[in-house]
Amino acid sequence: MAAPAADPALRAAAFDACPVPLLAFDARLRYSACNRAAADALGAPADRIVGAAVGEPDAARRALAGERVTVPPTTPADGPDARTATWTRVFAPLG
């Protein structure tokens, strides 16, 4: 029997069920994965987010180079979270 971490279906289910918004991006600086919490937080279905360009390309490039990057917190100016939420984004290498 394979270890749970080696099971792609279990990994995908855990990623999607995580209550923390998670996004992954590829070397083209396009989102390659989006969990349910991220889609809810961004107010768009995952299939509209996957394939979109990363909003902070400099931070993304640094993460691809192996650096952990924290983008300063921001407060949305409009939308459902206007002035009620603060967003902090962390870009971290996965490999």
Side-chain angles (χ1 to χ4, degrees):
M1 176 180 207
D7 181 348
L10 178 60
R11 227 180 5 250
F15 178 84
D16 196 49
C18 180
V20 175
L22 298 172
L23 295 149
F25 59 90
D26 59 25
R28 298 175 305 131
L29 305 181
R30 300 267 176 201
Y31 290 115
S32 58
C34 170
N35 73 350
R36 196 173 342 167
D40 289 347
L42 295 171
D47 61 355
R48 280 197 31 223
I49 297 167
V50 171
V54 172
E56 287 97 357
D58 293 335
R61 281 189 198 91
R62 289 169 54 197
L64 287 173
E67 183 180 348
R68 182 182 169 95
V69 181
T70 301
V71 177
T74 59
T75 301
D78 55 19
D81 291 328
R83 294 171 292 285
T84 63
T86 299
W87 297 79
T88 298
R89 288 142 345 264
V90 176
F91 290 76
L94 296 178

